Structure formats: structure tokens, C-alpha cells
Amino acid sequence: MPATGLEIRGLCAGYGPTRVIDEVSLDVAPGQRLAVLGRNGMGKTTLLASIMGLTTRHGGEISCGGKAISALRTSARAARGIGYVPQTRDIFPSLTVEENLRTGLKGRPAGAIDEAYAMFPRLRERRRNFGLQLSGGEQQMLSMARTLLGKPSLLLLDEPLEGLAPVICDELMIFLSRLAATGEVTIVLVEQQIERALDFASTVVVMERGRVGWSGEPSALRSDRGLIERLIGVGIH
Ligand SMILES: Nc1ncnc2c1ncn2[C@@H]1O[C@H](COP(=O)(O)OP(=O)(O)OP(=O)(O)O)[C@@H](O)[C@H]1O
Ligand SMILES: [Mg+2]
């Protein structure tokens, strides 16, 4: 399946009657890499969850590959090729690493699990351990590997680097850049590690209280430390 683009128009969404996402519009062309930045609580996770159909939509449209998906259930969105790695790693604690990976195959042959082990050798070492026996970083790897096994054409990643050692972060970002370069997947990356996110992205949006506070090219953000300070509240190192 080739990469699918994402178009969001005037999206308003939240939890029940509470509106968190307010009139968000954005476009990600097929095969592109969007970084979603912003301070804590600004709606980054809610935006990804809304794309996946896990929130209450109050208005607006979400389209994937030119087709409206707003009315589809989460499972139907997954079947359309949207892969989601949530901030809370959704692994099965009572299944082993290998069993967890099998749930991500989506009909692919079991041998494909070797791709996950090639990506994260640590998971091969832990293949017979239960999910609940893994460290936070290992759970993060497992959650990511399981989603990637399903070969998504649109990949939503919510802070995939959280809890990973710097050397693993480096490897993961190299891996994601290579994956993006295949042109087979469009990637939306929510990340607090600004420098790594800017290195990776082709476009950036900064969320501010549920809205798109700023959007543009990574270079424009990187070269304006005052803007970064104002929008994200951190110095860039
Ligand atoms: N399940 C929920 N029910 C009600 N409100 C929620 C729920 N989850 C998040 N919120 C609220 O929505 C707002 C945005 O939260 P969200 O998790 O999307 O932020 P975020 O930008 O991902 O933050 P962080 O950087 O801390 O992960 C916050 O005010 C939060 O309190
Ligand atoms: Mg979040």
C-alpha cells in the first residue's frame, strides 16, 4: 500500500462535551513527515486520538488518501492503513513479547516478526517474557514494533522516544527516517525532543490550547529561538 496523505479541516473534538481540539486544519502530503510540538496539555495526544476515532468529534472533517474517515470506527480506520502508537503503550501485559508481536501481523506471515527483531534486537532477547515483565523502554519498543509490523500507510506516533536511552533514540530516529524515505508511509510524530523532531520533520505544527498556534518548516522554527521559547517554552540544545 502506498503512503496516504492526511487532510484535516476545521476539526473540533474532545472528550464527551469537553472540547479540546478547536478548529484544527492541516495537510500532510503522502510520504511526508509532520512533527506536532507543543507544551504539555495543549492537545497533541487528543489530536492523534481524534485521527484514530477515539474522541468525540464536534465538527470538521478528517480525510485520509482523499477519503473522509470521520464517520468510521477506529477498527475501520486501522483497516484503512492508519497505525497508532499511543503515548500509553498499548501492549498486552499477559502475552509474551512474541505473542504481542503476532497480534500486529494483520494477516502477514509469522516470519515477518523477524523484521521487528531486526529493528529492536532487545525484543528478540525478551521474546518469551510477558509484557508486564518489560521495562518502560522495552514496552515502548514493543508497542512501536507491533504497529510497524502491520505496514501502516499513515503512522501516528505519540512521543515514541519517551523513556528510551539516547542511543536507542538515535537508532529509532534513523530507522524512522529510512522508513519515511521509502515513500511507503506518511508519519505524524508528536515529540517533546524538539531537536530530534526538527531533524526528522518536513513540516511542523505547534499546538497551543487545542489550536494550531504555528505551522511552517523546521528550519524557520530552528532559527528563531525566541519563537521556540514562546511556543514551546524550552531552550533548544
Ligand atoms: N480522557 C480525557 N478526558 C477529559 N479530558 C482530557 C482527557 N485526556 C486529556 N484531556 C484534556 O485535554 C487537554 C489536552 O490533553 P492532551 O493529552 O491532548 O495534551 P498533550 O498535548 O498530549 O499533553 P502532553 O504533552 O502532556 O502529553 C488537557 O487539558 C487534558 O486535561
Ligand atoms: Mg500527550
Side-chain angles (χ1 to χ4, degrees), residues 26-230:
L26 55 86
D27 287 279
V28 197
Q32 293 299 296
R33 309 166 305 283
L34 174 73
V36 179
L37 309 178
R39 298 171 196 248
N40 293 125
M42 291 300 163
K44 306 180 299 295
T45 292
T46 308
L47 177 63
L48 294 195
S50 300
I51 297 168
M52 212 54 215
L54 296 165
T55 62
T56 309
R57 185 171 57 105
H58 297 281
E61 273 299 336
I62 304 171
S63 302
C64 191
K67 296 202 178 89
I69 59 164
S70 314
L72 299 180
R73 287 165 176 269
T74 299
S75 56
R77 296 183 203 210
R80 289 274 177 99
I82 308 180
Y84 178 41
V85 182
Q87 195 168 4
T88 51
R89 300 108 188 190
D90 67 338
I91 60 164
F92 297 104
S94 57
L95 297 185
T96 65
V97 165
E98 187 136 323
E99 287 164 349
N100 265 282
L101 289 172
R102 252 183 247 143
T103 67
L105 283 169
K106 290 191 166 180
R108 298 184 66 207
I113 286 177
D114 282 340
E115 291 171 18
Y117 293 145
M119 201 180 343
F120 299 110
R122 184 84 188 130
L123 292 181
R124 189 193 297 275
E125 294 169 27
R126 308 285 259 146
R127 64 200 290 170
R128 295 193 210 295
N129 285 106
F130 292 105
L132 56 83
Q133 297 173 313
L134 300 180
S135 73
E138 289 165 348
Q139 290 177 31
Q140 185 69 288
M141 293 177 204
L142 179 57
S143 178
M144 170 85 106
R146 195 183 64 161
T147 299
L148 288 172
L149 279 178
K151 292 236 169 231
S153 53
L154 171 63
L155 179 60
L156 312 175
L157 301 172
D158 199 348
E159 301 202 29
L161 304 180
E162 202 176 15
L164 296 182
V167 61
I168 307 285
C169 290
D170 291 343
E171 286 174 14
L172 187 55
M173 291 315 296
I174 290 169
F175 174 83
L176 289 177
S177 295
R178 287 206 187 116
L179 182 68
T182 63
E184 290 172 10
V185 61
T186 306
I187 300 178
V188 179
L189 172 72
V190 169
E191 193 41 65
Q192 300 280 358
Q193 296 196 29
I194 314 295
E195 182 79 38
R196 283 195 163 101
L198 294 180
D199 280 346
F200 171 76
S202 49
T203 325
V204 182
V205 301
V206 181
M207 296 295 292
E208 278 194 298
R209 279 177 233 91
R211 292 175 156 260
V212 174
W214 185 90
S215 67
E217 295 197 4
S219 57
L221 199 53
R222 194 193 294 277
S223 61
D224 191 339
R225 280 160 194 260
L227 187 65
I228 290 181
E229 180 72 31
R230 183 169 69 75

